[in-house]
Amino acid sequence: MHHLELKIPPAVLVLLFAWAMWCVAEVSPWAVVQIPGKVLVASVLWGAGVVLIIIGAVAFISARTTVNPLMPELTTSIVTRGIYKLSRNPMYVGFFMILVAWAVFLGNILSTVLLPLFVVYMNQFQITPEENALLAKFGDEYARYLKSVRRWI
């Protein structure tokens, strides 16, 4: 299944998963759960996700390296400062938080089943290929970073 590696931009993938979650919610109205303050909770999660994405992108831009997730070979430096001390993939954590916000807003327990699938897909077809490309390019320096900072959080 290497043909899926680094092919779908993560933002597009988020939209696809959000659409799939909505479809699941539409065909399973019996799986709706009441979430007190769901709009507020969803808004906070969504906002936090957007902030993580922006902070991560700004760190890459400040380091003058690519933010294009489909071409990790264009990376010019390893960003290890700021948010990247806490997570190797804060932008992907942000995307995940947006999907969690959507799940809360939908209030459908079945649509949450897609959340782990997003993580599995990202790990296999986006993050692992990115890490392999960066290991090939930066060697021991990147290997040390992999050992010192968690993939997600």
Side-chain angles (χ1 to χ4, degrees):
M1 298 196 59
H2 294 287
H3 62 281
L4 289 176
E5 289 183 354
L6 302 172
K7 296 294 186 229
I8 303 174
V12 171
L13 192 67
V14 168
L15 293 174
L16 291 172
F17 268 83
W19 174 77
M21 291 167 72
W22 178 80
C23 289
V24 167
E26 284 294 303
V27 299
S28 58
W30 52 269
V32 170
V33 293
Q34 296 302 317
I35 302 171
K38 76 175 186 177
V39 172
L40 176 61
V41 172
S43 297
V44 169
L45 288 167
W46 183 87
V50 169
V51 167
L52 280 175
I53 294 165
I54 291 169
I55 290 171
V58 166
F60 274 22
I61 293 166
S62 296
R64 293 192 168 96
T65 192
T66 184
V67 293
N68 183 346
L70 303 183
M71 303 185 80
E73 67 277 3
L74 297 179
T75 302
T76 58
S77 63
I78 303 168
V79 180
T80 60
R81 297 181 308 272
I83 193 75
Y84 288 93
K85 287 181 180 179
L86 304 173
S87 171
R88 297 195 312 256
N89 298 287
M91 290 184 268
Y92 299 156
V93 173
F95 285 139
F96 181 74
M97 288 179 73
I98 288 170
L99 287 175
V100 171
W102 181 236
V104 168
F105 182 78
L106 291 172
N108 186 292
I109 198 74
L110 282 183
S111 62
T112 64
V113 171
L114 294 173
L115 294 172
L117 296 178
F118 174 78
V119 173
V120 168
Y121 183 95
M122 289 298 292
N123 281 339
Q124 179 154 358
F125 298 112
Q126 187 64 45
I127 296 172
T128 298
E130 283 179 7
E131 290 175 345
N132 290 339
L134 295 174
L135 274 169
K137 186 164 190 166
F138 296 104
D140 290 342
E141 180 185 0
Y142 190 69
R144 283 189 297 278
Y145 179 65
L146 289 176
K147 289 179 184 175
S148 65
V149 178
R150 295 176 60 102
R151 179 178 274 177
W152 287 86
I153 53 172

